[in-house]
């Protein structure tokens, strides 16, 4: 276009932009294109415009630039910024995505170019509902009556959604945005913890906001925020103590002025319940941060904090005991005790919630070990907590030994990291009261300094104890509890026998090793000791023994195969154990035994699955049957095509489980049934009628949504398993399944069940189209004319 035309268009555009409602009018006009009417974008034009993000970004940059007609930059921001925020609340579904993209791009561009004005006119109004109830806000709550609504439900929900659109979807991790969001993270976390305990749609957006900040911020800033959320520091302003969250009528939440209670017991109960809920929410949040290593770093920081708090507690006198203590000292002592209890609660919750994969590299392992060893050097195991302290130290030293013994593939740089433990091990070898622990610490120091070239026998024994390589040794500390050293004859006898067995079992369990010959098989006495260790009261020892027994089954040890009935009984009894490591080890053992001897083991498993043991509670029996169902499915996968001869008893067992009073067991049985049908494929035969009737009845009449969802999922797995043979195998029931799926899509209220039904309809549509319209193939034919 000519220059005069461009100048005239720009002048008219700027003039319209500065009028009331001008931002939305300009956005609509620019994005409308040449269609003439905004409603014309409802067809293919709307999809094209929604996907054309470049046009939306260009419009956003135009809005961020101040026109020449405006008197001042701040005056332009004052007029335009409220209209930009209103773009986030567009109700028109066709234009919503475009408007949100334009608003986000404009806000982020303004934040980069004019951070002070953007914070004043954009970020502060955006976060105003959250800042209004923050601990840092100066609220005149005495002027408000108890129960008064401080932030209505609609305003709070809209604010959280706007923050999600701007920060998470916009994904700009500038210091301005991170700093502004950090000021309201405490309120967002309180809202997340509240939504986690109630039914609210705010749980997912609050979780996304928190995880986005923890991922984008610097590691130290993220750790400081986590400390603030855990109330260990004041880096993050939390929800105002006089504000309370209340469930909203539309599935959200509202913030009200809380009522002060005069009952001290009730106030204490509410405080403890709130703290417990927030700790659980924080641990669940950290469970999503394990791959990045943030959970491990925070766990190590909590351990260091625990050591520091304990040292301060020992150094400071107790004003409650000393008569000369002042009121200020008493308050400081109570604060220290409260902080110590909070750190203990955090460490316990982290150990229970994220301890399985909390450490992601050798540096975090070293920092964890350094924290434990430093605590042992500063506070040797004494007093009533000596046993727990000694067990923790034994576990840490066993972990060092396991790392040095090859459990982790170490590089030269890893030894440089482990050398940071040498001063602590040296001090432990000189000052710790137990002589056996001193000896192990000295040997570990030698092994680290020589990069594992010189590894004394105690290091291998400690590693075998932690890894469970020796029967009955996993639950014991490497050197035994302090002060309880055994007598010399029995100690030498036990050390020699167990270390010899440990070397044999470690050699058998190495990957790639060939099965041991009969002459080197485990002695009967060793097998009996393994069977006894399978009933060890300590879960680690029991699980290690079960995995060792499963390894003997895999190696087809003659003595173990001769006692296969006894092994099956041991595994079945351990399936009922409450510890996950134990019952998963038992499940693995039963699956291996069943895949080796299906004719002998499968009938026993099916009998246990259909008729649980007498004298057990209904809930316990249902959980045990679900575990046995997992065993049966592992056996099904291992047998492959050979599962056909066990088809009828397996399907009969799962059909009976689908009629159980327990809803979780019904859903589990249906899931197993679907996977079995997927494996059987065209071998289903006449049983398909029974499966179809059962699935149809459950999908229509079962009161539990998860069970109906599992029933429809059976159809999905069945169609996927049959693939091209759908019309051939299901020709008698295809119409019934189609009617069932259409009814679920039309009448079902559970969205997950509807999604399963839609997936099944897509599978069915693809299969039928493939049968009706086979792909055209070109063939060359040569005809010899007479």
């Amino acid at each position: 276009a000519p220059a005069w035309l461009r100048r005239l268009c720009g002048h008219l555009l700027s003039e319209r932009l500065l009028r009331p409602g001008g931002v939305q009018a300009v956005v609509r006009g620019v994005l409308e294109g040449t269609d003439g009417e905004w409603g014309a974008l409802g067809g293919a034009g709307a999809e094209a415009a929604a996907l054309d993000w470049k046009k939306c970004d260009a419009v956003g940059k135009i809005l961020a630039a101040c026109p020449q007609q405006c008197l001042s930059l701040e005056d332009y921001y004052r007029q335009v910024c409220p209209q930009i925020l209103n773009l986030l609340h567009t109700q028109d579904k066709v234009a919503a995505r475009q408007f949100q993209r334009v608003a986000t791009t404009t806000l982020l561009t303004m934040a980069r170019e004019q951070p002070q004005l953007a914070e004043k006119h954009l970020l502060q109004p955006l976060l105003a509902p959250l800042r209004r109830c923050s601990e840092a806000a100066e609220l005149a709550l005495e002027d408000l009556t108890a129960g008064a609504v401080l932030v209505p439900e609609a305003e709070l929900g809209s604010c959280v959604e706007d923050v999600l659109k701007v920060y998470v979807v916009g994904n700009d991790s500038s210091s301005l945005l991170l700093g502004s969001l950090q000021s309201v993270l405490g309120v967002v976390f309180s809202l997340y913890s509240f939504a986690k305990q109630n039914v609210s749609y705010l749980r997912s957006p609050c979780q996304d906001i928190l995880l986005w900040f923890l991922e984008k911020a610097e590691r130290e800033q993220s750790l400081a925020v986590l400390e603030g959320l855990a109330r260990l520091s004041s880096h993050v302003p939390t929800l105002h103590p006089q504000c309370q969250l209340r469930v909203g009528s539309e599935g959200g939440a509202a913030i009200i002025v809380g009522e002060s209670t005069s009952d001290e017991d009730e106030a204490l109960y509410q405080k403890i319940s709130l703290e417990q809920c927030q700790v659980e929410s924080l641990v669940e949040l950290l469970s999503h941060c394990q791959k990045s290593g943030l959970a491990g770093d925070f766990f190590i920081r909590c351990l260091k904090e625990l050591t520091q708090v304990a040292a301060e507690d020992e150094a400071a006198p107790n004003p409650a005991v000393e008569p000369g203590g002042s009121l200020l000292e008493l308050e400081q002592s109570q604060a220290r005790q409260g902080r110590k209890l909070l750190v203990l609660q955090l460490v316990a919750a982290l150990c229970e919630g994220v301890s399985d994969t909390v450490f992601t590299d050798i540096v975090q392992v070293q920092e964890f070990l350094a924290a434990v060893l430093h605590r042992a050097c500063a506070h040797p195991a004494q007093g009533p907590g000596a046993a727990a302290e000694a067990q923790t130290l034994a576990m840490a030293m066993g972990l060092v030994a396991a790392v040095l013994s090859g459990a982790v593939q170490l590089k030269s740089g890893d030894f440089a990291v482990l050398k940071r433990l040498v001063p602590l091990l040296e001090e432990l070898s000189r000052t710790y009261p137990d002589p056996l622990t001193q000896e192990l610490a000295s040997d570990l120091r030698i092994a680290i300094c020589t990069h594992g070239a010189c590894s004394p026998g105690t290091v291998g024994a400690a590693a075998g104890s932690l890894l469970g390589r020796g029967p009955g040794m996993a639950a014991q500390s490497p050197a035994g509890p302090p002060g309880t050293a055994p007598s010399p004859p029995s100690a030498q006898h036990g050390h020699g026998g167990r270390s010899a067995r440990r070397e044999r079992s470690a050699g058998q369990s190495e990957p790639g090793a060939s099965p041991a010959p009969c002459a080197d098989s485990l002695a009967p006495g060793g097998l009996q000791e393994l069977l006894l260790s399978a009933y060890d009261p300590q879960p680690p020892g029991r699980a290690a023994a079960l995995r060792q027994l499963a390894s003997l089954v895999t190696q087809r040890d003659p003595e173990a195969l001769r006692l296969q009935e006894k092994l099956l009984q041991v595994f079945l009894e351990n399936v009922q154990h409450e510890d996950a490591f134990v019952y998963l080890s038992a499940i693995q053992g039963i699956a291996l035994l069943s895949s080796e001897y299906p004719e002998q083991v499968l009938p026993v498993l099916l009998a246990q699955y259909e008729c649980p043991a007498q004298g057990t509670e209904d809930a316990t029996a249902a959980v045990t049957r679900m575990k046995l169902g997992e065993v049966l499915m592992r056996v099904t996968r291992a047998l492959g095509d050979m599962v056909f001869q066990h088809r009828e008893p397996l399907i009969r067992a799962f059909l009976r489980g689908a009629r159980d009073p327990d809803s979780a067991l019904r859903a589990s049985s249906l899931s197993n049934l679907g996977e079995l049908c997927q494996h059987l494929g065209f071998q289903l035969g006449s049983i398909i009628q029974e499966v179809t009737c059962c699935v149809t009845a459950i999908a229509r009449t079962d009161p539990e949504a998860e069970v109906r969802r599992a029933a429809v999922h059976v159809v999905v797995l069945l169609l996927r398993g049959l693939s091209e043979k759908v019309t051939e195998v299901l020709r008698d029931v295809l119409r019934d399944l189609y009617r069932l799926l259409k009814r679920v899509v039309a009448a079902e209220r559970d969205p997950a069940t509807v999604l399963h039904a839609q997936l099944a309809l897509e599978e069915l549509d693809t299969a039928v189209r493939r049968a009706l319209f086979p792909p055209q193939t070109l063939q060359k034919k040569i005809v010899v004319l007479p």
Side-chain angles (χ1 to χ4, degrees), residues 401 403-406 410 415 418-419 443-456 459:
V403 170
L404 294 172
S405 299
L410 294 177
F415 281 101
L418 290 176
K419 283 184 179 180
D443 293 344
L444 289 174
R445 183 178 62 86
I446 294 172
I448 293 175
C449 293
T450 60
H451 288 204
C454 179
S455 181
V459 176

Side-chain angles (χ1 to χ4, degrees), residues 524-546:
L527 181 59
Q528 293 298 329
E529 187 173 352
L530 275 178
L531 293 175
L532 291 176
S533 299
Y535 296 95
D536 194 325
Q538 297 294 333
R542 180 178 292 209
L546 292 173

